[in-house]
Amino acid sequence: MPLECGSANETRKQSRGSYKPPDEKGPMDDIFCYDFHVHVGNERDGLPPSAFLQALQRKDVCAAGMLDHVEFFIQDDNEWMTAFRAHAARNGLKLYDDSIDGLKALYRDLDKLRQGQEMLIALGLELREPGRVPEAFLELPEYFCNCFHLPPLSTRDTPGMRAAELIELFARKIAPARRPGIINHPFRDRLLEFSTLATSGSTPTSEEFLPRDEVARLVDAAGEHGLFVEINLTDLCYHAPCCYEFCLYATRLLVKLKAKLSIGSDSHRPPPLTVPNEVQRMLEDAGVEVAHFQPVVDAMRRSVSNPPAWLARRKSSPSGRQLATR
């Protein structure tokens, strides 16, 4: 059932979840076998990582990235983490320790789960403020994501200029690790602003609200550093019902500007969130094809085949063959 855009924020709180293809096969089904944005770890509401793997298997996912926010493992009393730890305490949730050892424990659990699996599973880390992440954490994952959000702009900034600056900071931070990087939910803040305007009855044109040149700055900045740009299915599921043309416009721009694409559900718990048929139709109309995601799949496969030194040992590849370690 399509989500009501007017209650997007409340719906996000209530049903942040994975996605699944609808019961009837659609033209975009093949792209849903990839999902490089699956949250496990300390946002799992007490569920073991195996529950997420089982959910991916039920959806016939063939390549996935399992990750968590680095902030959950840094002893940092920011407002977000303070609220989450209070929530965990009230609900008796078992958390991984908020330390680098806690992140290692999560990765070890995931590494055990993926042994012998046909599915390609990469171990990721999502960074919201790259500058605050200790260098030691960068040696652990097999890929990185930028939890991309635009802060309030100064009178001298444009969204494209600020996006390029943030992408540059992220790229510089992860460069020494030589691992794949993804810009997650690149249009989330703009979508929220646009949907707010749409529900109030004041809707600018897509081109006025998100000029092509601004998106080009984001795509160029990502491309300069070899970063992938995500098509975020959670954002599309929440906003496409009332902002279809804007979602179509933004996604089509990524394709036309030849962004290196990734795709992710942004799931935070296993019960699948259905991708409405209109979102599948929108992806098709935007020109999204399975071939667009082969580069990110290949990059993940190479990274998993060359595990981080701390985790290096003989591993089973998705086909069951033994992979050489660094």
Side-chain angles (χ1 to χ4, degrees):
M1 181 176 180
L3 299 173
E4 293 296 329
C5 191
S7 59
N9 289 335
E10 185 61 29
T11 305
R12 183 180 300 276
K13 296 175 184 176
Q14 293 175 355
S15 62
R16 292 179 78 179
S18 186
Y19 67 91
K20 68 179 180 67
D23 294 335
E24 296 181 4
K25 288 290 184 180
M28 291 286 100
D29 277 351
D30 286 346
I31 72 169
F32 297 133
C33 71
Y34 305 133
D35 188 349
F36 296 110
H37 194 166
V38 180
H39 283 272
V40 295
N42 279 347
E43 268 198 295
R44 68 197 193 287
D45 277 2
L47 294 169
S50 59
F52 293 84
L53 176 61
Q54 291 164 6
L56 292 170
Q57 290 170 329
R58 288 195 298 271
K59 294 184 296 178
D60 294 325
V61 170
C62 60
M66 304 180 84
L67 52 76
D68 206 354
H69 291 280
V70 69
E71 287 81 7
F72 287 116
F73 302 97
I74 297 176
Q75 294 177 342
D76 184 356
D77 291 329
N78 64 66
E79 183 179 352
W80 178 31
M81 283 308 308
T82 299
F84 177 78
R85 291 189 181 111
H87 163 76
R90 286 194 304 270
N91 292 276
L93 302 183
K94 181 181 178 182
L95 303 181
Y96 287 92
D97 189 50
D98 56 346
S99 68
I100 194 168
D101 289 334
L103 182 58
K104 286 183 176 181
L106 169 62
Y107 284 160
R108 288 193 187 99
D109 287 346
L110 294 174
D111 186 50
K112 290 176 184 177
L113 280 176
R114 68 180 175 176
Q115 297 306 308
Q117 297 291 333
E118 293 183 0
M119 187 191 310
L120 173 69
I121 299 175
L123 310 182
L125 192 62
E126 189 167 19
L127 286 59
R128 183 162 185 165
E129 297 181 70
R132 301 179 68 174
V133 179
E135 300 300 320
F137 282 80
L138 305 180
E139 300 174 3
L140 306 188
E142 293 166 340
Y143 77 103
F144 297 92
C145 292
N146 183 197
C147 185
F148 185 83
H149 289 279
L150 280 176
L153 302 176
S154 71
T155 55
R156 294 176 296 176
D157 282 339
T158 68
M161 291 170 56
R162 192 69 181 111
E165 292 172 0
L166 294 174
I167 289 171
E168 174 73 19
L169 291 173
F170 172 68
R172 285 208 307 262
K173 185 70 174 183
I174 70 171
R178 298 181 178 274
R179 298 285 177 180
I182 301 171
I183 306 301
N184 281 351
H185 39 72
F187 303 126
R188 176 162 294 174
D189 300 280
R190 303 302 283 162
L191 276 167
L192 286 169
E193 293 174 31
F194 192 91
S195 65
T196 299
L197 290 173
T199 53
S200 68
S202 173
T203 308
T205 67
S206 299
E207 292 83 357
E208 289 173 336
F209 193 76
L210 187 66
R212 178 191 174 103
D213 289 349
E214 300 297 322
V215 180
R217 283 177 179 263
L218 183 153
V219 171
D220 288 347
E224 182 180 346
H225 297 285
L227 302 174
F228 298 95
V229 180
E230 181 188 60
I231 293 177
N232 187 282
L233 292 173
T234 285
D235 284 352
L236 296 183
C237 287
Y238 286 134
H239 296 292
C242 77
C243 307
Y244 183 91
E245 291 301 324
F246 182 77
C247 291
L248 173 61
Y249 167 78
T251 306
R252 182 179 284 159
L253 271 184
L254 291 180
V255 174
K256 287 186 173 182
L257 293 170
K258 301 187 184 306
K260 295 174 61 178
L261 294 179
S262 180
I263 189 166
S265 63
D266 202 355
S267 60
H268 287 66
R269 52 182 64 93
L273 175 69
T274 298
V275 175
N277 289 334
E278 61 191 319
V279 173
Q280 293 208 34
R281 185 177 72 250
M282 189 219 72
L283 292 172
E284 184 180 20
D285 291 345
V288 177
E289 300 176 355
V290 177
H292 286 129
F293 305 107
Q294 194 59 51
V296 70
V297 174
D298 292 342
M300 293 296 184
R301 183 176 289 113
R302 289 192 296 269
S303 192
V304 170
S305 299
N306 184 28
W310 76 274
L311 193 61
R313 58 181 174 78
R314 297 189 67 81
K315 300 178 181 293
S316 297
S317 73
S319 63
R321 292 174 298 166
Q322 294 295 311
L323 300 177
T325 58
R326 181 183 295 176

